[in-house]
Amino acid sequence: MSNPDTLIVTSPPLRRFPELLGEPAATQVLARLETELDWQQPRLRLYGREHPTPRRQVWMGDSDADYRYSGRQFSPEPWHPAVASIREAVIARLAASGISADFNSVLLNRYADGEERMGWHSDDEAELGPDPLIAALSLGAERPLRFRWKDRSREAFNVWLPHDSLLLMGPGVQRQLQHALLPRRRLGLRISLTFRQVHPLP
């Protein structure tokens, strides 16, 4: 890899890795995911009202990786072969940096343009455990993921996510920070794959 990874925040660990798949593989898999997945637009309940999500998504993973957020439960689609291969590449890249990880599920989000977005949140659902490790691959248009500290002790900041970059949100990130993908004009297609480990609830 020509570019080193970047440690954005030391504690909790927030790190960006460049060029996970390399070219032309990254662009080829972007085209496959765009055309081969059954993209959905569920309606989620926020502040007592239902709204369509401002993007398309697919929840994918092992058969028992059910996931609940915004008042809805999602059962996973079976692993697409290309996504299963990406999961192995993510695990291998993290292992090469001394980071042990396993993922039984992934949330894929499809943003058709810069107007599609994701609001402020933390990935802190009970199924993920108290301090989850989450790895997110970005494909397509480069966009900044905005972070802010929950206690507002430090300034908010952007993490730019180029095509084929991998963002690692280590233990403590979801507990201490929120993140959002805010609207940006004149941007094209972007697909993110956010890998996580879901634990069955009792």
Side-chain angles (χ1 to χ4, degrees):
M1 298 300 167
S2 58
N3 299 317
D5 63 276
T6 303
L7 185 61
I8 299 161
V9 176
T10 304
S11 182
L14 185 64
R15 178 175 291 182
R16 184 181 56 213
F17 299 82
E19 301 174 14
L20 177 74
L21 304 176
E23 289 292 5
T27 296
Q28 290 170 347
V29 78
L30 172 65
R32 287 191 66 186
L33 298 181
E34 163 74 351
T35 58
E36 295 179 13
L37 297 189
D38 180 19
W39 294 103
Q40 302 154 17
Q41 191 176 26
R43 298 182 67 86
L44 302 180
R45 181 170 294 277
L46 298 172
Y47 307 111
R49 301 181 64 182
E50 282 198 350
H51 305 269
T53 55
R55 61 194 173 278
R56 305 272 175 172
Q57 65 182 51
V58 176
W59 176 246
M60 185 179 296
D62 295 352
S63 59
D64 60 349
D66 290 335
Y67 191 49
R68 186 173 184 84
Y69 71 95
S70 296
R72 287 197 56 181
Q73 182 160 326
F74 295 85
S75 296
E77 297 288 331
W79 287 101
H80 183 282
V83 180
S85 296
I86 293 171
R87 175 179 63 166
E88 297 308 312
V90 170
I91 292 171
R93 172 62 64 85
L94 296 181
S97 296
I99 301 166
S100 177
D102 192 16
F103 304 109
N104 64 359
S105 51
V106 59
L107 179 63
L108 298 101
N109 282 298
R110 175 191 177 275
Y111 303 90
D113 54 39
E115 297 300 321
E116 296 198 338
R117 64 198 186 277
M118 179 177 286
W120 287 106
H121 70 287
S122 296
D123 296 318
D124 55 3
E125 290 78 15
E127 297 96 320
L128 300 179
D131 274 321
L133 184 150
I134 295 175
L137 174 65
S138 294
L139 298 172
E142 181 177 11
R143 289 181 69 170
L145 194 63
R146 184 76 171 168
F147 284 86
R148 68 184 182 189
W149 299 90
K150 290 183 179 180
D151 62 6
R152 305 299 192 268
S153 61
R154 284 172 269 181
E155 291 186 2
F157 58 94
N158 286 337
V159 178
W160 283 87
L161 300 173
H163 177 55
D164 198 26
S165 62
L166 179 69
L167 181 69
L168 175 68
M169 295 181 279
V173 169
Q174 308 305 322
R175 181 163 35 86
Q176 298 183 47
L177 293 126
Q178 293 180 314
H179 55 277
L181 193 75
L182 304 177
R184 288 256 172 176
R185 292 183 179 178
R186 296 183 295 277
L187 290 177
L189 172 69
R190 174 180 182 266
I191 293 177
S192 69
L193 301 88
T194 307
F195 292 89
R196 54 195 78 192
Q197 182 74 22
V198 170
H199 306 278
L201 294 178

